[in-house]
Amino acid sequence: MKLLRFKDEEIYPSKIVCLIVNYHAHGKELQHAIPEMPLWFLKPPQSIIGDGESVVLPELSKNIHHEVELAVVIGKQGKDIPIEHALDYVLGYTILLDITARDLQDKYIKEGRPWSISKGFDTFAPTRLDIVPTSEIKDPNNLGLRLTVNGIVRQDSNTKNMIFSVEELVSEISKVTTLEKGDIIATGTPEGVGQIFSGDKLFAEIEGIGTLSVDVK
Ligand code: MG
């Protein structure tokens, strides 16, 4: 795994909290119901790789998907964080690709079993390791985000289309679990998810944050 960086400091995330269906159009494309409150799963921090590294396709799956997401990095410990103070707990923002073994996820959903393994393989969380400070992002709920595969646009949306805002996510998640410095909230993916193959080159960008490139092995 790789550590995050904030200026000269290395930061270890104790958890990656990933949102389930936080864009209407993505819920529609997967035929998943829109949740009434933020629903999430945990991805192991061991799955983090950095810019220029490779997603390794596991033998257990035949259908691996890309999901581009705005990642919120927590700056200080918080529990039951009031929504009006939520951004005080945010250190900054970055880009995370929530790589997903869609066939395993679909199979376990159908069987009513937990589907953590579909999200938890090593290399399944390519992340721009350098965190952009909160002060540099005027409104995290209005950022263009985009993903190309081999130069072809697959996902192109804006965080204003999120169902739950960054403030709501921080506040609601902290009602369940204590958020620690370095923890990542991956805020969900817009529509356009699709399969990746060995040799593909993924290029993600989020307005005001920067870019992230990885290839697929
Ligand atoms: Mg996702």
Side-chain angles (χ1 to χ4, degrees):
M1 76 169 282
K2 287 288 163 68
L3 299 180
L4 303 176
R5 289 187 295 262
F6 185 71
K7 298 173 182 171
D8 290 335
E9 193 186 349
E10 283 198 312
I11 295 176
Y12 174 82
S14 74
K15 53 188 168 294
I16 307 173
V17 180
C18 298
L19 267 292
I20 295 169
V21 189
N22 198 27
Y23 289 78
H24 285 283
H26 173 62
K28 214 170 172 187
E29 73 180 346
L30 291 187
Q31 296 173 303
H32 289 174
I34 304 301
E36 285 166 15
M37 58 176 271
L39 296 181
W40 42 269
F41 60 91
L42 295 175
K43 194 182 258 277
Q46 285 73 16
S47 58
I48 295 175
I49 58 170
D51 193 67
E53 296 197 80
S54 302
V55 175
V56 179
L57 300 179
E59 283 180 15
L60 283 173
S61 169
K62 297 286 171 271
N63 188 10
I64 311 288
H65 274 200
H66 57 77
E67 297 186 355
V68 65
E69 311 198 3
L70 170 70
V72 176
V73 182
I74 297 298
K76 60 180 179 184
Q77 189 185 72
K79 170 74 180 153
D80 297 322
I81 299 168
I83 193 163
E84 61 272 23
H85 295 140
L87 293 188
D88 299 342
Y89 288 79
V90 175
L91 182 66
Y93 302 95
T94 191
I95 307 169
L96 185 143
L97 300 181
D98 173 20
I99 304 293
T100 304
R102 194 71 72 199
D103 49 353
L104 300 182
Q105 185 190 36
D106 290 346
K107 169 177 151 68
Y108 294 130
I109 286 174
K110 206 177 281 173
E111 293 175 1
R113 299 180 195 269
W115 41 271
S116 293
I117 68 167
S118 72
K119 298 280 193 172
F121 289 94
D122 284 355
T123 78
F124 269 29
T127 303
R128 187 183 186 278
L129 300 175
D130 288 301
I131 301 160
V132 175
T134 309
S135 58
E136 291 183 21
I137 302 295
K138 235 197 287 172
D139 181 5
N141 303 303
N142 187 11
L143 300 174
L145 77 171
R146 183 177 232 250
L147 179 94
T148 66
V149 179
N150 305 325
I152 312 254
V153 178
R154 292 273 192 91
Q155 297 187 268
D156 190 2
S157 186
N158 188 296
T159 58
K160 71 181 178 203
N161 297 319
M162 292 194 300
I163 296 167
F164 300 105
S165 68
V166 168
E167 293 86 336
E168 288 174 298
L169 295 177
V170 169
S171 177
E172 288 296 318
I173 293 164
S174 78
K175 290 179 183 170
V176 179
T177 181
T178 301
L179 290 170
E180 302 284 351
K181 180 177 180 180
D183 284 356
I184 299 171
I185 300 172
T187 57
T189 198
E191 71 278 16
V193 301
Q195 191 169 6
I196 53 174
F197 300 92
S198 178
D200 281 351
K201 294 192 182 324
L202 313 189
F203 180 77
E205 50 192 328
I206 300 184
E207 192 184 346
I209 293 179
T211 65
L212 169 70
S213 309
V214 289
D215 61 13
V216 182
K217 273 211 171 103

